[in-house]
Amino acid sequence: MQPKPNLNLYSFLGHLPWLKKSYTAKIMVVAFLGTHVPLLTLMVWFLTSNAYSVETSIRVLLIALLATLVGTGATLYTLRHLLVPVILTSEALQNYLDTRTLPNLPTEFTDEVGTLMANSSQTLYKLDELIHYITHYDELTGLPNRDLFCDHLNQTRSQNHSPLVAVLVLGIDDFTGMRHALEPEICDLLIRAVSQRVVQCMDGSDVLARLGDGELAIARSELPSLESVVKLSQLLQSTLAKPFSINGNQIHITASLGITLNHLENTNSVEKLLQQADLALHQAKHQGRSHYQFYSPEMNVQLQERLALENSLRGALERNELLVYYQPLIDLHGGRVTATEALVRWQHSTEGLVSPVKFIPIAEANGEIVPIGEWILRTACAQNRRWQLAGLPALRISVNLSARQFEQTNLVEMVRQILAQTELEAAYLELEVTESALMTDIERSVTTLTQLRELGVSLALDDFGTGYCSLNYLQRFPVNMLKIDRSFVKDVLSNPNSATITDAIIALAKSLGLTITAEGIETKEQLDYLQARGCDEGQGFYFSRPANADTITKLLKDSLQSDAASIALATHF
């Protein structure tokens, strides 16, 4: 084992002011002292001895001094040149730190200093590659990041191969909620899988980058037509709509896209194009899941309005601006009220009554839906209990659970506590969940639904037919009711496809022993159609618009006093 080198001498010389900053000076001083101390010792002895004459002593002294000067000069000259590899390596390292310029050091030498130069050069090249990768590529997916995407697109614009470029920003719908619902490693694997599928949809000239959580950017410069951008968007959406198998979990997602088109010679910067595509993405998500939207200047105004609404929504609950309205559910064969559905409304201080279509997606996106949803559940349960204590017919109260709420780990306990606090029996509470909320994590969904059923709560599958729920999964979900989405009911008389789907859902529900409720009934003809097919319950403007608790209380009292409740409850409004 070789002894460990120490830096004692180097450290000592480094404390001398005139040697502190120069390694070459340190070497020169040591070399000078090493050659001159023995010589000076000899000269002192020679001069102090009386063996030689003065003339001889002077002659010898001059010759020795001359030889010493020549030898010292040659030694120092040689040493300085031997130190050149060390100096070059030091300068190369410093230059890389200052300017990120890679060195051009020789690599053919095999001694220690030659190895130092070769290894330093190789290390700097590898370091530069690593820095470049870290700076320009996403660590999780290996895709270019935003900076490299902009560089590539700028290069494409400078080459000007095509007069038009399309920039698309793809966003996974409700990715924030998915982040909360899935384990971090599962979510990371999902992002990788999504990136790989998107790569499969790309052409050779396309540029793909990851912008952040759940968002990818695509640049396409070879555009034969506008329709090619639409086809690309549809291809991406259909590809990502297929289920992902991640560590044994079947995960379903949807994606929305924002698109902007720009002439290459246009002065808009790449960052500006990304901002435009991002605005279009916000608009697409505002319309619902799995939409694509082209940018228009008006979107900027709409976004500002949305941001203002989002700011106002924070604190709306504390300011008592939120209201719960109720809409009756009617037994389509007996004509009586069987339940009421709780629906939130927002009485804005300056904008008036804000449509749920506007603020619910915002609340879902920023997480406000969780406290709002808990407040709605508590308010609805308390109201239903008040109706019971007032001697009105015991009805179910139906409350929607958002996807974000359904992902909360304390959901079952929260429902249990609210039932206890409001003294409402669990049998009179019905919770509605959507297909998309359940399909994010099948196993967790089955567990949560089972725990809710064990509380005695009824469960309804809302908006059935609009998601990706297969019969196999439906059999596993312990639900009591299927709700036909209003989009099918609206077109049931005019669209054969809607009629076929409606008939199939009713038949499926009956085969599984489930109650079937139709949403959005607005006409007598729609009602007759659903009655003829055996639909159990219905709700919609034909019977009653959503109304406040006082109005619904009067309606229930009138129904109780009459011999038989009329099915045309709309006359009360």
Side-chain angles (χ1 to χ4, degrees), residues 133 135-139 141-150 152 199 207-212 215-217:
Y133 184 85
T135 305
H136 295 94
Y137 288 87
D138 175 59
E139 181 180 2
T141 62
L143 295 175
N145 62 12
R146 188 185 192 95
D147 292 338
L148 188 57
F149 178 83
C150 293
H152 283 327
V199 168
V207 180
L208 175 64
R210 184 184 179 209
L211 300 182
E215 287 196 359
L216 302 173

Side-chain angles (χ1 to χ4, degrees), residues 96 100 123-137:
Y96 181 79
R100 287 286 303 278
T123 300
L124 287 180
Y125 272 89
K126 289 183 177 179
L127 178 62
D128 193 69
E129 290 178 359
L130 179 61
I131 292 175
H132 182 271
Y133 184 85
I134 293 174
T135 305
H136 295 94
Y137 288 87

Side-chain angles (χ1 to χ4, degrees), residues 157 162 181 207 239 244 267 276 285 371 453 470 483 489 510 544:
R157 297 179 71 175
S162 174
V207 180
T239 300
F244 290 83
T267 57
Q276 292 175 353
K285 288 189 173 185
R453 280 294 297 271
S470 69
K483 299 193 75 172
V489 175
K510 289 186 175 298
S544 169

